[in-house]
């Protein structure tokens, strides 16, 4: 009798405990659902607060000229390097066209044209249409790489030399960065200028190479051997920049990239943006490998300061990094 009564009480207690536990779990689950719905609602409202409403529509408002970029590639009698570069960059997803700056005495051979057209067609079988053009120049001048191109279909230009390779994801990321600041230069190769303390004149400067950037973390230029900029600067370089600067560049065969940095900084009053990216040098010769290169570049800076009437370059220490590809940033 007592055993039976004790068993009934035990069963009742277990039932009450189970009911209490289930009820508590239901309450907790309900609270979690409420919190979850609240967070979702706040997240959806946050876009309104921050001005991010209808992001897809905002993207669609970009004109076609903002959706892709054109490569302007400088080359000089390095046909194997040219073939490698065209073969690589023609695979990049948002590439619209490739313009090869040709300044050699003889026009490109039929075999070279045929090979390059074939490789571009081969690499764009996914439905993309990448245009390949040779921009033929009668004069051998480094200014040719910045001549105005009338039939460009994009606002963005990726200026690149034929002897440097950057992975397409790095190029695409740099293009994204440029779209967020389309008036400035966005590139992979930073350089710096410094006031020359030995001259006793604040208008005399020293050209700082890569090691100067590495040591200080500061830069004021990104070189046009690998940089994005707006196509409007081709017109400014050709038609508005002092002719004496272009003549100096043609005569000295150097510093067209510094001149473009001066031009953009003078127009914007803003620094360039350095994008971190892995560079593959596939060439072994170039102007920078010649003796006295830094001294010549220093002379260019002082000359351009005199022409512009001031130092327009703006130092910065900002670097754009694609955090999806690195652990620490």
């Amino acid at each position: 009798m007592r055993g039976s009564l004790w068993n009934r009480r035990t069963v009742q207690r277990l039932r009450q405990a189970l009911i209490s536990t289930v009820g508590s779990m239901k309450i907790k689950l309900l609270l979690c659902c409420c919190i979850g719905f609240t967070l979702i609602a706040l997240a959806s409202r946050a876009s309104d607060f921050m001005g991010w409403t209808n992001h897809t529509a905002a993207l669609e408002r970009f004109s076609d000229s903002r959706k892709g970029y054109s490569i302007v590639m400088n080359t000089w009698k390095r046909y194997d390097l040219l073939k490698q570069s065209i073969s690589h960059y023609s695979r990049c997803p948002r590439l619209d066209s490739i313009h090869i700056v040709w300044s050699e005495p003889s026009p490109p051979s039929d075999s070279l044209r045929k090979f390059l057209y074939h490789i571009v067609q081969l690499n764009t079988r996914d439905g993309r249409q990448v245009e390949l053009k040779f921009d033929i120049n009668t004069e051998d001048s480094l200014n040719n790489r910045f001549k105005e191109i009338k039939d460009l279909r994009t606002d963005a230009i990726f200026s690149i030399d034929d002897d440097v390779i950057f992975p397409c994801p790095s190029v695409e990321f740099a293009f994204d960065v440029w779209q967020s600041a389309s008036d400035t230069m966005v590139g992979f190769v930073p350089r710096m200028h410094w006031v020359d303390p030995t001259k006793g004149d604040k208008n005399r400067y020293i050209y700082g190479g890569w090691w100067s950037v590495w040591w200080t973390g500061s830069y004021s230029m990104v070189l046009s051997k690998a940089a994005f900029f707006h196509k409007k600067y081709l017109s400014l370089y050709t038609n508005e920049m002092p002719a004496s600067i272009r003549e100096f560049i043609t005569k000295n065969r150097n510093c067209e990239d510094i001149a473009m940095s001066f031009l953009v900084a003078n127009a914007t009053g803003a620094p360039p943006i350095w994008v971190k990216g892995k560079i593959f040098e596939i060439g072994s010769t170039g102007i920078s490998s010649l003796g006295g290169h830094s001294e010549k570049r220093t002379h260019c800076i002082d000359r351009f300061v005199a022409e512009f009437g001031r130092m327009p370059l703006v130092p910065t220490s900002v670097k754009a990094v694609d955090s999806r590809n690195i652990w620490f940033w």
Side-chain angles (χ1 to χ4, degrees):
M1 184 87 176
R2 290 181 180 177
S4 175
L5 183 61
W6 184 85
N7 288 336
R8 288 178 183 177
R9 290 178 178 176
T10 302
V11 171
Q12 287 178 353
R13 289 174 181 173
L14 289 174
R15 285 179 179 176
Q16 290 175 354
L18 183 60
I19 292 171
S20 177
T21 301
V22 171
S24 177
M25 290 179 63
K26 287 182 178 180
I27 293 173
K28 290 180 179 178
L29 181 61
L30 182 62
L31 286 174
C32 287
C33 290
C34 291
I35 292 172
F37 284 126
T38 302
L39 291 175
I40 292 173
L42 288 175
S44 63
R45 294 290 294 171
S47 62
D48 295 339
F49 299 149
M50 299 300 293
W52 293 341
T53 305
N54 200 8
H55 185 245
T56 301
L59 289 176
E60 290 175 352
R61 286 197 295 269
F62 281 146
S63 64
D64 290 340
S65 62
R66 289 292 302 271
K67 293 179 180 178
Y69 55 89
S70 301
I71 281 180
V72 176
M73 184 175 293
N74 200 46
T75 187
W76 177 261
K77 294 185 177 182
R78 299 189 291 192
Y79 308 136
D80 288 340
L81 301 185
L82 179 62
K83 291 176 181 179
Q84 289 183 56
S85 292
I86 298 298
S87 178
H88 168 72
Y89 288 113
S90 59
R91 296 185 175 94
C92 295
R94 285 182 286 177
L95 175 65
D96 179 83
S97 63
I98 301 173
H99 293 257
I100 300 173
V101 180
W102 192 271
S103 303
E104 298 181 19
S106 302
S109 66
D110 291 339
S111 60
L112 179 63
R113 287 178 180 267
K114 184 177 180 179
F115 177 89
L116 294 179
Y117 288 136
H118 173 71
I119 202 67
V120 169
Q121 185 179 20
L122 192 66
N123 289 339
T124 55
R125 288 182 174 177
D126 54 358
R128 294 182 301 124
Q129 294 183 347
V130 175
E131 184 180 40
L132 175 67
K133 284 192 173 183
F134 285 85
D135 295 337
I136 309 296
N137 298 281
T138 57
E139 179 188 17
D140 176 18
S141 171
L142 291 176
N143 293 309
N144 291 339
R145 73 182 306 161
F146 298 136
K147 275 189 174 181
E148 188 175 8
I149 303 173
K150 297 293 186 180
D151 57 348
L152 276 178
R153 299 182 299 197
T154 67
D155 289 341
I157 289 175
F158 183 45
S159 175
I160 190 77
D161 283 353
D162 61 2
D163 61 347
V164 288
I165 295 288
F166 289 91
C168 284
S170 296
V171 177
E172 296 287 311
F173 174 68
F175 177 51
D176 289 335
V177 175
W178 176 85
Q179 286 184 310
S180 70
S182 59
D183 282 335
T184 193
M185 289 185 74
V186 174
F188 294 98
V189 187
R191 295 294 184 264
M192 184 59 180
H193 75 282
W194 304 99
V195 174
D196 189 347
T198 66
K199 302 297 184 181
D201 184 350
K202 292 184 178 180
N203 290 321
R204 300 294 295 275
Y205 297 90
I206 299 174
Y207 175 78
W210 162 245
W211 291 111
S212 175
V213 175
W214 179 84
W215 183 256
T216 64
S218 300
Y219 64 97
S220 57
M221 297 172 273
V222 290
L223 301 187
S224 57
K225 68 182 295 180
F228 279 95
F229 54 83
H230 197 285
K231 67 179 180 181
K232 65 185 177 183
Y233 293 120
L234 296 182
S235 176
L236 289 176
Y237 188 100
T238 303
N239 303 313
E240 302 294 333
M241 193 173 67
S244 56
I245 292 181
R246 295 194 301 275
E247 292 168 1
F248 175 86
I249 290 167
T250 298
K251 180 180 179 181
N252 292 273
R253 296 193 61 80
N254 207 328
C255 299
E256 83 287 355
D257 48 359
I258 296 178
M260 178 57 85
S261 290
F262 267 67
L263 178 73
V264 176
N266 188 64
T268 64
I273 301 175
W274 171 23
V275 175
K276 182 179 179 180
K278 179 66 175 177
I279 182 172
F280 296 92
E281 300 270 4
I282 60 174
S284 58
T285 60
I287 293 175
S288 60
S289 63
L290 302 177
H293 179 67
S294 294
E295 290 77 10
K296 292 176 181 178
R297 309 274 279 181
T298 292
H299 178 55
C300 289
I301 290 178
D302 286 340
R303 175 66 181 264
F304 297 164
V305 167
E307 293 281 358
F308 276 82
R310 67 187 187 96
M311 167 52 78
L313 299 178
V314 181
T316 183
S317 57
V318 173
K319 179 168 66 173
V321 179
D322 189 350
S323 59
R324 296 170 298 180
N325 300 327
I326 57 176
W327 285 96
F328 301 101
W329 56 285

